[in-house]
Every structure is written in C-alpha cells, then in structure tokens.
Amino acid sequence: QVQLAESGGGSVQAGGSLRLSCAVSGYVTSSVCMGWFRQAPGKEREGVANIYIDGLLGWTYYSHSVKGRFTISRDNGKNTIDLQMNSLKSDDSAMYFCAADLSTPRKDCVSESWHGVRAYWGQGTQVTVSS
C-alpha cells in the first residue's frame, strides 16, 4: 500500500506562484511513476506533470498547457513529490491530485498516455487562481 497526502494548495492571483507537495509513505519500489493531475468542476481529470523515478534517476513529462510554467521534482529528504507552479492562470484553478503507480513502465509514464488507472491517489488539494 502507498499513501499519498497533498498539501500547498490555496488562493493566488493570476501571475503568482504556488508549490504543491505530495508526501509519500508506505511501500514504494525504487522504480515508480508519479504525477500530478487536476480536475476542475465540470471537466475531466487531466494530467499535469509526471515523473518516473528509478533510483537516483528521474524523467519528466509536462502537459502542453503547463510546460514552461510548472516543474515537478522530488525531495528525497522529505520523501515528497513537489509541483512548483509559476505564472499561474485562472485556467489552472482546479483540485490537484497526486498519483503513484508501481507498475507503469517509464516509456508510458513520461507521456500523455498515462492516466493513473492503476495508481494510488491522494485526497487532493484545491488551487484557486483569481484574475
């Protein structure tokens, strides 16, 4: 079992920044696919950023809508997966979820095709961007 707990959400004006954090606990293999998804009211859940971790190595993927503005990273000391969000727009307002998948291979993880179907999920953290 893997437990995930998101934090760092809040309200910010357009152009501002937020940093989300996903605390990871439980049994996690040395190779794992993790990512951030978001879902706004009335919209489908969409992938934001993924990271495939294999030991000390990591590979990342970003959706077109956030590339250049968001950065996904891991903090080994804190055992978290973080999402730094800069230049926020009102369209970024959503509930943000962290996911971890122990079975998805790297080539599928770092692509738009990973939807976290077999993933463990956190409860989410709300991000609201006002214009």
Side-chain angles (χ1 to χ4, degrees), residues 3-40:
Q3 292 81 43
L4 305 171
E6 302 94 336
S7 62
S11 297
V12 64
Q13 289 191 331
S17 299
L18 281 175
R19 188 177 183 86
L20 305 183
S21 186
C22 174
V24 183
S25 61
Y27 178 73
V28 181
T29 55
S30 60
S31 300
V32 59
C33 175
M34 297 198 65
W36 286 91
F37 293 77
R38 66 187 182 187
Q39 188 167 20

Side-chain angles (χ1 to χ4, degrees), residues 18-92:
L18 281 175
R19 188 177 183 86
L20 305 183
S21 186
C22 174
V24 183
S25 61
Y27 178 73
V28 181
T29 55
S30 60
S31 300
V32 59
C33 175
M34 297 198 65
W36 286 91
F37 293 77
R38 66 187 182 187
Q39 188 167 20
K43 295 187 178 181
E44 293 188 354
R45 186 175 65 197
E46 64 169 334
V48 174
N50 309 339
I51 183 168
Y52 185 83
I53 298 169
D54 187 357
L56 297 178
L57 302 177
W59 293 260
T60 59
Y61 167 82
Y62 297 92
S63 70
H64 177 73
S65 61
V66 307
K67 195 169 186 178
R69 300 189 297 123
F70 291 11
T71 303
I72 188 171
S73 63
R74 65 172 174 177
D75 186 324
N76 289 331
K78 297 180 180 179
N79 211 29
T80 61
I81 299 294
D82 300 332
L83 185 68
Q84 178 66 43
M85 306 186 295
N86 298 329
S87 302
L88 284 163
K89 307 174 182 178
S90 56
D91 287 347
D92 295 319

